[in-house]
Amino acid sequence: MNRPQREAAVRQIMERTPPRLPTDVHLDAVRRGSRLLRRRTIALRLLWLLMFAATVAFAVWAVTARPWVEPPSQTTPPLTGW
């Protein structure tokens, strides 16, 4: 099949009217789309909740452990009574 024949075949396909869809296909697509949207919304809310819980857990750990404070030296005892 040479180029003009291919172009003619494509034009013929493009000029045809699209086939009619059954009426229940639209309803099924809407139902599936709303279900996917609900699942995505629930997943996003769970992820935000997980991130919030991780932030709170990190903040509580940081306040109790205070990792920014240098630990006391244990190599020499403190000098008292001078």
Side-chain angles (χ1 to χ4, degrees):
M1 187 179 266
N2 58 13
R3 184 178 178 136
Q5 289 175 344
R6 282 186 294 183
E7 288 178 357
V10 168
R11 278 195 195 96
Q12 198 175 35
I13 291 171
M14 298 286 284
E15 289 174 355
R16 279 193 264 171
T17 60
R20 304 278 303 171
L21 291 177
T23 56
D24 60 340
V25 171
H26 173 71
L27 296 175
D28 288 341
V30 170
R31 191 177 319 116
R32 285 184 184 184
S34 63
R35 185 173 54 216
L36 286 173
L37 188 60
R38 268 195 318 272
R39 285 182 182 176
R40 183 179 296 156
T41 303
I42 290 171
L44 284 174
R45 286 182 182 169
L46 285 175
L47 284 175
W48 277 108
L49 181 66
L50 179 66
M51 286 192 333
F52 178 73
T55 303
V56 168
F58 175 76
V60 168
W61 170 80
V63 167
T64 56
R66 297 186 341 173
W68 57 87
V69 175
E70 192 173 318
S73 177
Q74 297 179 358
T75 57
T76 59
L79 294 175
T80 59
W82 282 83

